Amino acid sequence: MKAIQITHNQELNVITLDRPQAPAAGEVLLRLNYVGFCGSDLNTFLGRNTMALNPVIPGHEIGAVIEATGEGVPDSLKPGMVVTCNPYTNCNNCASCRNGRVNACQHNETLGVQRNGAMMEYITLPWQKIIPAGTLTAKTSALIEPMSVGFHAVSRGQVTDVDTVMIIGCGMVGMGAIVRSVTRGAKVIAVDLDDEKLALAKEVGAAYTINTGSEDVHARLMEITDGYGPDVIIEAVGSVPTYQMAINEVAFTGRVVCIGYAKSEVSFQTKYFVQKELDIRGSRNATPEDFRGVIKYLERGSCPIDTFITKVIKPEEALETMQWWSKNPGKVFRILVEF
C-alpha cells in the first residue's frame, strides 16, 4: 500500500508498505479516504518540528471507513461506517491522566508526530480511539480533529454568552474556536493578517474582524469593547507578538488561553499578570466531548466546508504541494490527501 513519509530536510516520498492484515483483538482496520496535512506537518517538512520522528509518516486528521473489526470490538463499530479518530495516546498514570485530563497526558504520542501517522491507505487502531462521524462524509470528517482543538480552547476559557472573545489566528484551529464561541453565545472578534481568512471568520459568526497588518489593534479593541478589552483571548498562532498582544489587550480579570507553540522565548511585562489578576491557561489537543461538539456542528450543514478545504491532492502530488505551501503559508486552511 502507498504511504507518505517526510524527513526534516524538505524531503517527502511516497513509499510502499505492507497492508495490515486482519485486525488483532480490540483493533479496528480503517481504509483511509482523506487525511489532512496540518501546520505541524509543514514544520516537520521544513525541519522546525523538534517533537516529530525523523523520518515520519504524517497524518492525524482522518476521514476513513471501517474495513474490519477484531475480536472484542463493540458492535456499535461496524464495517462500512464513516469514522474519524482520536489521534492522541494516554498513559493512564501521569498527573494529567490521574486527574482525568488525558488529552494533556505527559507522555502523549500523537499520530504523525511522535509516532507514525495515518497518511497511508490502511491503518489499524485501538477501537477506543475510533469516533463515529454520524452522517458526515469521510471528506468532511477529516476536518473534525483540527476544529476540535479550537473547541477545546473555548472550554478551557470557560466562555459563556456574556463574554467578548478575541481569537488571534484564523486558521482551522482558530476557526474552531470562533465557531464554538459563537455557539456558546459570545461576541467574537477575529484577528489575523489575511483578509480572506477574516472574511471567512465573519461567515462562521465573528461579529468583528481586525487585520493586524493594516489596523490599530488596541484602538479597535477599545472601540469594540467600550474601553474594557476582551474578556477572553485565545492565542492560536504561536508567535512572540501574538502572545504579547494577548496579555496586553485582555481585560482586567480576563482569561488568556494559549494554543500556539511559540518558536522562541517570549518576554512579558509580568506586572499585568498581577495587576489584571489574569487567568493564563494552556490548551492541548481535545477531548471526546470536543469531537462530539464538532460533529454536531458540522452535521447542521451551515459550515462552509468547501472554503475550508484549500486543496485535495493525490499522494504523488504531496511534495510539490508542500513546497508550494512553504512559500504561501497564509493561503492555506486545509490540504487533504485522497487515498
Side-chain angles (χ1 to χ4, degrees):
M1 67 174 181
K2 292 179 182 178
I4 291 174
Q5 186 180 68
I6 294 176
T7 66
H8 289 205
N9 54 353
Q10 301 188 37
E11 291 182 1
L12 184 153
N13 298 294
V14 179
I15 62 175
T16 300
L17 299 175
D18 292 335
R19 173 183 163 175
Q21 300 304 310
E27 290 188 338
V28 175
L29 175 63
L30 300 182
R31 173 165 50 87
L32 282 305
N33 290 6
Y34 295 91
V35 183
F37 272 125
C38 75
S40 65
D41 300 322
L42 178 62
N43 283 327
T44 298
F45 177 74
L46 295 174
R48 300 171 183 168
N49 189 352
T50 58
M51 294 187 294
L53 295 176
N54 187 19
V56 66
I57 296 171
H60 55 261
E61 302 174 1
I62 292 171
V65 173
I66 295 177
E67 186 80 1
T69 58
E71 183 181 352
V73 173
D75 292 339
S76 58
L77 298 175
K78 302 180 185 297
M81 180 181 287
V82 176
V83 299
T84 189
C85 87
N86 181 327
Y88 325 119
T89 63
N90 52 282
C91 69
N92 295 319
N93 191 47
C94 69
S96 299
C97 290
R98 289 172 61 192
N99 290 330
R101 292 164 65 177
V102 297
N103 58 290
C105 174
Q106 181 179 350
H107 307 293
N108 167 65
E109 294 184 348
T110 300
L111 282 173
V113 185
Q114 295 95 340
R115 57 184 173 135
N116 281 324
M119 207 158 276
M120 58 183 73
E121 292 180 89
Y122 294 88
I123 192 172
T124 56
L125 294 170
W127 72 261
Q128 295 90 341
K129 298 298 182 181
I130 307 301
I131 301 173
T135 61
L136 302 180
T137 66
K139 187 176 182 180
T140 301
S141 298
L143 303 178
I144 295 170
E145 191 276 341
M147 291 191 75
S148 73
V149 176
F151 271 47
H152 185 64
V154 173
S155 293
R156 291 284 294 141
Q158 296 178 303
V159 171
T160 73
D161 58 354
V162 301
D163 289 319
T164 297
V165 182
M166 171 177 166
I167 292 152
I168 307 174
C170 296
M172 276 299 297
V173 171
M175 287 295 173
I178 292 169
V179 166
R180 191 54 158 171
S181 297
V182 170
T183 61
R184 289 191 173 196
K187 180 168 68 177
V188 174
I189 305 165
V191 177
D192 202 280
L193 279 165
D194 187 277
D195 284 330
E196 291 181 19
K197 290 183 177 180
L198 291 172
L200 186 53
K202 277 261 192 181
E203 189 172 345
V204 298
Y208 303 93
T209 61
I210 301 174
N211 187 315
T212 56
S214 60
E215 299 181 75
D216 184 325
V217 175
H218 179 74
R220 286 278 284 128
L221 287 174
M222 292 299 98
E223 175 189 347
I224 293 167
T225 65
D226 296 325
Y228 290 105
D231 304 290
V232 182
I233 295 184
I234 296 176
E235 199 289 332
V237 175
S239 72
V240 173
T242 53
Y243 261 85
Q244 292 171 334
M245 181 191 299
I247 298 298
N248 292 343
E249 300 296 348
V250 72
F252 274 64
T253 68
R255 288 98 74 196
V256 174
V257 182
C258 307
I259 311 175
Y261 281 92
K263 306 299 185 296
S264 57
E265 292 185 1
V266 184
S267 298
F268 293 107
Q269 290 289 340
T270 55
K271 67 179 182 181
Y272 291 141
F273 297 4
V274 178
Q275 287 181 351
K276 293 185 176 184
E277 198 175 50
L278 298 182
D279 290 331
I280 302 173
R281 305 173 183 181
S283 181
R284 186 180 181 192
N285 300 332
T287 67
E289 178 186 7
D290 301 314
F291 278 88
R292 291 195 299 271
V294 174
I295 292 168
K296 183 177 180 180
Y297 164 70
L298 292 174
E299 284 185 321
R300 295 175 191 166
S302 60
C303 179
I305 291 167
D306 290 340
T307 308
F308 281 173
I309 300 172
T310 306
K311 287 187 176 186
V312 178
I313 64 172
K314 296 294 186 181
E316 293 77 12
E317 301 172 283
L319 175 59
E320 180 183 355
T321 300
M322 293 296 274
Q323 291 170 337
W324 169 82
W325 189 9
S326 67
K327 297 173 184 176
N328 300 276
K331 297 300 180 184
V332 172
F333 281 102
R334 267 307 173 268
I335 296 168
L336 302 185
V337 180
E338 182 180 9
F339 288 93

